[in-house]
PDB file of all heavy atoms in Angstrom:
ATOM      1  N   ASN A   1     130.418 162.374  46.411  1.00 95.00           N
ATOM      2  CA  ASN A   1     130.574 161.788  45.079  1.00 95.00           C
ATOM      3  C   ASN A   1     132.043 161.682  44.667  1.00 95.00           C
ATOM      4  O   ASN A   1     132.396 160.824  43.859  1.00 95.00           O
ATOM      5  CB  ASN A   1     129.788 162.600  44.055  1.00 95.00           C
ATOM      6  CG  ASN A   1     128.313 162.248  44.084  1.00 95.00           C
ATOM      7  OD1 ASN A   1     127.946 161.087  44.260  1.00 95.00           O
ATOM      8  ND2 ASN A   1     127.462 163.239  43.934  1.00 95.00           N
ATOM      9  N   VAL A   2     132.885 162.532  45.210  1.00 97.00           N
ATOM     10  CA  VAL A   2     134.332 162.371  45.011  1.00 97.00           C
ATOM     11  C   VAL A   2     134.791 161.072  45.664  1.00 97.00           C
ATOM     12  O   VAL A   2     135.566 160.304  45.083  1.00 97.00           O
ATOM     13  CB  VAL A   2     135.095 163.583  45.592  1.00 97.00           C
ATOM     14  CG1 VAL A   2     136.593 163.300  45.663  1.00 97.00           C
ATOM     15  CG2 VAL A   2     134.833 164.829  44.743  1.00 97.00           C
ATOM     16  N   ILE A   3     134.295 160.817  46.869  1.00 97.00           N
ATOM     17  CA  ILE A   3     134.641 159.565  47.563  1.00 97.00           C
ATOM     18  C   ILE A   3     134.145 158.364  46.763  1.00 97.00           C
ATOM     19  O   ILE A   3     134.877 157.393  46.530  1.00 97.00           O
ATOM     20  CB  ILE A   3     134.054 159.559  48.985  1.00 97.00           C
ATOM     21  CG1 ILE A   3     134.673 160.685  49.822  1.00 97.00           C
ATOM     22  CG2 ILE A   3     134.282 158.208  49.667  1.00 97.00           C
ATOM     23  CD1 ILE A   3     133.935 160.982  51.113  1.00 97.00           C
ATOM     24  N   ASN A   4     132.874 158.436  46.302  1.00 97.00           N
ATOM     25  CA  ASN A   4     132.323 157.351  45.489  1.00 97.00           C
ATOM     26  C   ASN A   4     133.160 157.123  44.231  1.00 97.00           C
ATOM     27  O   ASN A   4     133.399 155.978  43.822  1.00 97.00           O
ATOM     28  CB  ASN A   4     130.881 157.663  45.098  1.00 97.00           C
ATOM     29  CG  ASN A   4     129.942 157.742  46.292  1.00 97.00           C
ATOM     30  OD1 ASN A   4     130.224 157.177  47.344  1.00 97.00           O
ATOM     31  ND2 ASN A   4     128.841 158.440  46.143  1.00 97.00           N
ATOM     32  N   SER A   5     133.606 158.210  43.619  1.00 97.00           N
ATOM     33  CA  SER A   5     134.419 158.108  42.401  1.00 97.00           C
ATOM     34  C   SER A   5     135.771 157.463  42.684  1.00 97.00           C
ATOM     35  O   SER A   5     136.293 156.712  41.858  1.00 97.00           O
ATOM     36  CB  SER A   5     134.633 159.500  41.798  1.00 97.00           C
ATOM     37  OG  SER A   5     133.406 160.098  41.454  1.00 97.00           O
ATOM     38  N   SER A   6     136.317 157.755  43.848  1.00 98.00           N
ATOM     39  CA  SER A   6     137.633 157.201  44.176  1.00 98.00           C
ATOM     40  C   SER A   6     137.587 155.676  44.277  1.00 98.00           C
ATOM     41  O   SER A   6     138.555 154.988  43.932  1.00 98.00           O
ATOM     42  CB  SER A   6     138.155 157.801  45.487  1.00 98.00           C
ATOM     43  OG  SER A   6     137.396 157.358  46.600  1.00 98.00           O
ATOM     44  N   PHE A   7     136.453 155.135  44.729  1.00 98.00           N
ATOM     45  CA  PHE A   7     136.318 153.673  44.769  1.00 98.00           C
ATOM     46  C   PHE A   7     136.464 153.075  43.373  1.00 98.00           C
ATOM     47  O   PHE A   7     137.103 152.041  43.181  1.00 98.00           O
ATOM     48  CB  PHE A   7     134.960 153.267  45.351  1.00 98.00           C
ATOM     49  CG  PHE A   7     134.719 153.719  46.761  1.00 98.00           C
ATOM     50  CD1 PHE A   7     133.485 154.225  47.143  1.00 98.00           C
ATOM     51  CD2 PHE A   7     135.712 153.627  47.724  1.00 98.00           C
ATOM     52  CE1 PHE A   7     133.238 154.630  48.440  1.00 98.00           C
ATOM     53  CE2 PHE A   7     135.485 154.033  49.041  1.00 98.00           C
ATOM     54  CZ  PHE A   7     134.248 154.536  49.394  1.00 98.00           C
ATOM     55  N   SER A   8     135.855 153.745  42.383  1.00 98.00           N
ATOM     56  CA  SER A   8     135.910 153.218  41.016  1.00 98.00           C
ATOM     57  C   SER A   8     137.318 153.296  40.447  1.00 98.00           C
ATOM     58  O   SER A   8     137.740 152.433  39.663  1.00 98.00           O
ATOM     59  CB  SER A   8     134.922 153.971  40.118  1.00 98.00           C
ATOM     60  OG  SER A   8     135.292 155.321  39.960  1.00 98.00           O
ATOM     61  N   VAL A   9     138.079 154.328  40.842  1.00 98.00           N
ATOM     62  CA  VAL A   9     139.467 154.438  40.396  1.00 98.00           C
ATOM     63  C   VAL A   9     140.276 153.248  40.927  1.00 98.00           C
ATOM     64  O   VAL A   9     141.027 152.610  40.181  1.00 98.00           O
ATOM     65  CB  VAL A   9     140.103 155.759  40.888  1.00 98.00           C
ATOM     66  CG1 VAL A   9     141.595 155.788  40.574  1.00 98.00           C
ATOM     67  CG2 VAL A   9     139.406 156.964  40.248  1.00 98.00           C
ATOM     68  N   VAL A  10     140.096 152.951  42.210  1.00 98.00           N
ATOM     69  CA  VAL A  10     140.873 151.869  42.826  1.00 98.00           C
ATOM     70  C   VAL A  10     140.502 150.512  42.227  1.00 98.00           C
ATOM     71  O   VAL A  10     141.383 149.693  41.939  1.00 98.00           O
ATOM     72  CB  VAL A  10     140.682 151.870  44.356  1.00 98.00           C
ATOM     73  CG1 VAL A  10     141.461 150.716  44.984  1.00 98.00           C
ATOM     74  CG2 VAL A  10     141.152 153.196  44.943  1.00 98.00           C
ATOM     75  N   ILE A  11     139.212 150.265  42.007  1.00 98.00           N
ATOM     76  CA  ILE A  11     138.799 149.012  41.366  1.00 98.00           C
ATOM     77  C   ILE A  11     139.427 148.888  39.984  1.00 98.00           C
ATOM     78  O   ILE A  11     139.920 147.824  39.586  1.00 98.00           O
ATOM     79  CB  ILE A  11     137.260 148.938  41.263  1.00 98.00           C
ATOM     80  CG1 ILE A  11     136.658 148.509  42.596  1.00 98.00           C
ATOM     81  CG2 ILE A  11     136.831 147.971  40.176  1.00 98.00           C
ATOM     82  CD1 ILE A  11     136.825 147.045  42.928  1.00 98.00           C
ATOM     83  N   GLY A  12     139.420 149.996  39.244  1.00 98.00           N
ATOM     84  CA  GLY A  12     140.043 149.986  37.920  1.00 98.00           C
ATOM     85  C   GLY A  12     141.516 149.610  37.993  1.00 98.00           C
ATOM     86  O   GLY A  12     142.014 148.805  37.198  1.00 98.00           O
ATOM     87  N   LYS A  13     142.214 150.166  38.967  1.00 98.00           N
ATOM     88  CA  LYS A  13     143.642 149.857  39.127  1.00 98.00           C
ATOM     89  C   LYS A  13     143.856 148.390  39.517  1.00 98.00           C
ATOM     90  O   LYS A  13     144.772 147.731  39.029  1.00 98.00           O
ATOM     91  CB  LYS A  13     144.266 150.793  40.162  1.00 98.00           C
ATOM     92  CG  LYS A  13     144.429 152.234  39.674  1.00 98.00           C
ATOM     93  CD  LYS A  13     145.078 153.108  40.725  1.00 98.00           C
ATOM     94  CE  LYS A  13     145.307 154.518  40.195  1.00 98.00           C
ATOM     95  NZ  LYS A  13     146.322 154.559  39.111  1.00 98.00           N
ATOM     96  N   LEU A  14     142.997 147.881  40.409  1.00 97.00           N
ATOM     97  CA  LEU A  14     143.116 146.481  40.804  1.00 97.00           C
ATOM     98  C   LEU A  14     142.937 145.535  39.616  1.00 97.00           C
ATOM     99  O   LEU A  14     143.517 144.451  39.573  1.00 97.00           O
ATOM    100  CB  LEU A  14     142.075 146.148  41.879  1.00 97.00           C
ATOM    101  CG  LEU A  14     142.294 146.709  43.282  1.00 97.00           C
ATOM    102  CD1 LEU A  14     141.136 146.316  44.192  1.00 97.00           C
ATOM    103  CD2 LEU A  14     143.615 146.244  43.872  1.00 97.00           C
ATOM    104  N   LEU A  15     142.132 145.989  38.654  1.00 97.00           N
ATOM    105  CA  LEU A  15     141.859 145.163  37.476  1.00 97.00           C
ATOM    106  C   LEU A  15     142.770 145.490  36.302  1.00 97.00           C
ATOM    107  O   LEU A  15     142.516 145.092  35.170  1.00 97.00           O
ATOM    108  CB  LEU A  15     140.389 145.311  37.080  1.00 97.00           C
ATOM    109  CG  LEU A  15     139.422 144.608  38.032  1.00 97.00           C
ATOM    110  CD1 LEU A  15     137.994 145.072  37.816  1.00 97.00           C
ATOM    111  CD2 LEU A  15     139.518 143.107  37.860  1.00 97.00           C
ATOM    112  N   GLY A  16     143.859 146.237  36.578  1.00 97.00           N
ATOM    113  CA  GLY A  16     144.889 146.450  35.567  1.00 97.00           C
ATOM    114  C   GLY A  16     144.631 147.553  34.563  1.00 97.00           C
ATOM    115  O   GLY A  16     145.286 147.604  33.508  1.00 97.00           O
ATOM    116  N   MET A  17     143.701 148.454  34.854  1.00 97.00           N
ATOM    117  CA  MET A  17     143.424 149.553  33.928  1.00 97.00           C
ATOM    118  C   MET A  17     144.445 150.667  34.110  1.00 97.00           C
ATOM    119  O   MET A  17     144.985 150.869  35.201  1.00 97.00           O
ATOM    120  CB  MET A  17     142.012 150.089  34.156  1.00 97.00           C
ATOM    121  CG  MET A  17     140.919 149.073  33.852  1.00 97.00           C
ATOM    122  SD  MET A  17     139.250 149.729  34.109  1.00 97.00           S
ATOM    123  CE  MET A  17     139.148 150.968  32.786  1.00 97.00           C
ATOM    124  N   ASN A  18     144.701 151.411  33.031  1.00 97.00           N
ATOM    125  CA  ASN A  18     145.656 152.514  33.110  1.00 97.00           C
ATOM    126  C   ASN A  18     144.927 153.833  33.399  1.00 97.00           C
ATOM    127  O   ASN A  18     143.694 153.907  33.383  1.00 97.00           O
ATOM    128  CB  ASN A  18     146.499 152.611  31.840  1.00 97.00           C
ATOM    129  CG  ASN A  18     145.676 152.876  30.586  1.00 97.00           C
ATOM    130  OD1 ASN A  18     144.741 153.677  30.598  1.00 97.00           O
ATOM    131  ND2 ASN A  18     146.026 152.207  29.492  1.00 97.00           N
ATOM    132  N   TYR A  19     145.708 154.864  33.648  1.00 97.00           N
ATOM    133  CA  TYR A  19     145.169 156.165  34.056  1.00 97.00           C
ATOM    134  C   TYR A  19     144.204 156.738  33.022  1.00 97.00           C
ATOM    135  O   TYR A  19     143.113 157.216  33.366  1.00 97.00           O
ATOM    136  CB  TYR A  19     146.322 157.138  34.301  1.00 97.00           C
ATOM    137  CG  TYR A  19     145.897 158.578  34.523  1.00 97.00           C
ATOM    138  CD1 TYR A  19     145.218 158.955  35.674  1.00 97.00           C
ATOM    139  CD2 TYR A  19     146.174 159.564  33.559  1.00 97.00           C
ATOM    140  CE1 TYR A  19     144.829 160.267  35.882  1.00 97.00           C
ATOM    141  CE2 TYR A  19     145.793 160.876  33.753  1.00 97.00           C
ATOM    142  CZ  TYR A  19     145.118 161.229  34.912  1.00 97.00           C
ATOM    143  OH  TYR A  19     144.729 162.530  35.102  1.00 97.00           O
ATOM    144  N   SER A  20     144.556 156.696  31.741  1.00 97.00           N
ATOM    145  CA  SER A  20     143.710 157.301  30.709  1.00 97.00           C
ATOM    146  C   SER A  20     142.374 156.576  30.580  1.00 97.00           C
ATOM    147  O   SER A  20     141.330 157.208  30.354  1.00 97.00           O
ATOM    148  CB  SER A  20     144.441 157.327  29.360  1.00 97.00           C
ATOM    149  OG  SER A  20     144.763 156.023  28.940  1.00 97.00           O
ATOM    150  N   GLU A  21     142.382 155.254  30.734  1.00 98.00           N
ATOM    151  CA  GLU A  21     141.135 154.488  30.664  1.00 98.00           C
ATOM    152  C   GLU A  21     140.217 154.856  31.825  1.00 98.00           C
ATOM    153  O   GLU A  21     139.011 155.070  31.642  1.00 98.00           O
ATOM    154  CB  GLU A  21     141.442 152.990  30.699  1.00 98.00           C
ATOM    155  CG  GLU A  21     142.107 152.456  29.445  1.00 98.00           C
ATOM    156  CD  GLU A  21     142.634 151.040  29.604  1.00 98.00           C
ATOM    157  OE1 GLU A  21     142.952 150.645  30.757  1.00 98.00           O
ATOM    158  OE2 GLU A  21     142.733 150.329  28.589  1.00 98.00           O
ATOM    159  N   ILE A  22     140.785 154.921  33.022  1.00 98.00           N
ATOM    160  CA  ILE A  22     139.983 155.253  34.207  1.00 98.00           C
ATOM    161  C   ILE A  22     139.445 156.674  34.112  1.00 98.00           C
ATOM    162  O   ILE A  22     138.265 156.935  34.386  1.00 98.00           O
ATOM    163  CB  ILE A  22     140.824 155.073  35.485  1.00 98.00           C
ATOM    164  CG1 ILE A  22     141.210 153.601  35.660  1.00 98.00           C
ATOM    165  CG2 ILE A  22     140.077 155.580  36.717  1.00 98.00           C
ATOM    166  CD1 ILE A  22     142.220 153.344  36.757  1.00 98.00           C
ATOM    167  N   LYS A  23     140.305 157.597  33.717  1.00 97.00           N
ATOM    168  CA  LYS A  23     139.905 159.004  33.602  1.00 97.00           C
ATOM    169  C   LYS A  23     138.768 159.174  32.603  1.00 97.00           C
ATOM    170  O   LYS A  23     137.783 159.880  32.861  1.00 97.00           O
ATOM    171  CB  LYS A  23     141.112 159.842  33.177  1.00 97.00           C
ATOM    172  CG  LYS A  23     140.843 161.335  33.114  1.00 97.00           C
ATOM    173  CD  LYS A  23     142.117 162.100  32.753  1.00 97.00           C
ATOM    174  CE  LYS A  23     141.843 163.604  32.709  1.00 97.00           C
ATOM    175  NZ  LYS A  23     143.069 164.358  32.352  1.00 97.00           N
ATOM    176  N   LYS A  24     138.871 158.510  31.458  1.00 97.00           N
ATOM    177  CA  LYS A  24     137.827 158.591  30.433  1.00 97.00           C
ATOM    178  C   LYS A  24     136.510 158.024  30.949  1.00 97.00           C
ATOM    179  O   LYS A  24     135.441 158.593  30.726  1.00 97.00           O
ATOM    180  CB  LYS A  24     138.280 157.833  29.186  1.00 97.00           C
ATOM    181  CG  LYS A  24     137.287 157.893  28.032  1.00 97.00           C
ATOM    182  CD  LYS A  24     137.798 157.110  26.831  1.00 97.00           C
ATOM    183  CE  LYS A  24     136.771 157.113  25.708  1.00 97.00           C
ATOM    184  NZ  LYS A  24     137.219 156.280  24.556  1.00 97.00           N
ATOM    185  N   GLY A  25     136.593 156.892  31.662  1.00 97.00           N
ATOM    186  CA  GLY A  25     135.389 156.284  32.206  1.00 97.00           C
ATOM    187  C   GLY A  25     134.676 157.176  33.204  1.00 97.00           C
ATOM    188  O   GLY A  25     133.443 157.293  33.180  1.00 97.00           O
ATOM    189  N   LEU A  26     135.429 157.839  34.068  1.00 96.00           N
ATOM    190  CA  LEU A  26     134.820 158.746  35.046  1.00 96.00           C
ATOM    191  C   LEU A  26     134.149 159.939  34.376  1.00 96.00           C
ATOM    192  O   LEU A  26     133.063 160.367  34.771  1.00 96.00           O
ATOM    193  CB  LEU A  26     135.884 159.252  36.031  1.00 96.00           C
ATOM    194  CG  LEU A  26     136.200 158.378  37.233  1.00 96.00           C
ATOM    195  CD1 LEU A  26     137.231 159.069  38.117  1.00 96.00           C
ATOM    196  CD2 LEU A  26     134.952 158.069  38.039  1.00 96.00           C
ATOM    197  N   GLN A  27     134.794 160.482  33.365  1.00 93.00           N
ATOM    198  CA  GLN A  27     134.258 161.663  32.693  1.00 93.00           C
ATOM    199  C   GLN A  27     132.936 161.389  31.982  1.00 93.00           C
ATOM    200  O   GLN A  27     132.109 162.284  31.826  1.00 93.00           O
ATOM    201  CB  GLN A  27     135.285 162.210  31.698  1.00 93.00           C
ATOM    202  CG  GLN A  27     136.481 162.885  32.366  1.00 93.00           C
ATOM    203  CD  GLN A  27     137.551 163.294  31.375  1.00 93.00           C
ATOM    204  OE1 GLN A  27     137.724 162.675  30.320  1.00 93.00           O
ATOM    205  NE2 GLN A  27     138.297 164.332  31.701  1.00 93.00           N
ATOM    206  N   SER A  28     132.728 160.147  31.563  1.00 91.00           N
ATOM    207  CA  SER A  28     131.519 159.812  30.800  1.00 91.00           C
ATOM    208  C   SER A  28     130.445 159.145  31.655  1.00 91.00           C
ATOM    209  O   SER A  28     129.466 158.622  31.131  1.00 91.00           O
ATOM    210  CB  SER A  28     131.882 158.889  29.633  1.00 91.00           C
ATOM    211  OG  SER A  28     132.437 157.668  30.109  1.00 91.00           O
ATOM    212  N   ALA A  29     130.617 159.165  32.967  1.00 91.00           N
ATOM    213  CA  ALA A  29     129.693 158.452  33.853  1.00 91.00           C
ATOM    214  C   ALA A  29     128.274 159.000  33.772  1.00 91.00           C
ATOM    215  O   ALA A  29     128.062 160.210  33.742  1.00 91.00           O
ATOM    216  CB  ALA A  29     130.198 158.521  35.291  1.00 91.00           C
ATOM    217  N   GLU A  30     127.301 158.096  33.733  1.00 88.00           N
ATOM    218  CA  GLU A  30     125.885 158.447  33.786  1.00 88.00           C
ATOM    219  C   GLU A  30     125.299 157.863  35.065  1.00 88.00           C
ATOM    220  O   GLU A  30     125.375 156.657  35.285  1.00 88.00           O
ATOM    221  CB  GLU A  30     125.147 157.903  32.558  1.00 88.00           C
ATOM    222  CG  GLU A  30     125.594 158.550  31.248  1.00 88.00           C
ATOM    223  CD  GLU A  30     124.806 158.043  30.064  1.00 88.00           C
ATOM    224  OE1 GLU A  30     123.850 157.270  30.282  1.00 88.00           O
ATOM    225  OE2 GLU A  30     125.149 158.406  28.932  1.00 88.00           O
ATOM    226  N   ILE A  31     124.709 158.716  35.879  1.00 88.00           N
ATOM    227  CA  ILE A  31     124.239 158.313  37.200  1.00 88.00           C
ATOM    228  C   ILE A  31     122.734 158.049  37.170  1.00 88.00           C
ATOM    229  O   ILE A  31     121.984 158.742  36.476  1.00 88.00           O
ATOM    230  CB  ILE A  31     124.564 159.405  38.240  1.00 88.00           C
ATOM    231  CG1 ILE A  31     126.063 159.710  38.213  1.00 88.00           C
ATOM    232  CG2 ILE A  31     124.135 158.995  39.637  1.00 88.00           C
ATOM    233  CD1 ILE A  31     126.964 158.522  38.471  1.00 88.00           C
TER     234      ILE A  31
END
């Protein structure tokens, strides 16, 4: 799940998101 999460971080960066936005999104994830 760490690996799965890392994919979402990279996609966020590719789409111009900043660190705080990505971090907040990961913390609130519902699976």
Side-chain angles (χ1 to χ4, degrees):
N1 280 322
V2 168
I3 297 166
N4 296 337
S5 300
S6 69
F7 299 138
S8 66
V9 173
V10 178
I11 280 285
K13 288 181 177 293
L14 288 178
L15 287 165
M17 296 181 67
N18 61 41
Y19 171 69
S20 61
E21 290 169 333
I22 296 171
K23 184 177 181 180
K24 182 180 177 184
L26 275 182
Q27 288 174 331
S28 62
E30 294 183 5
I31 305 302

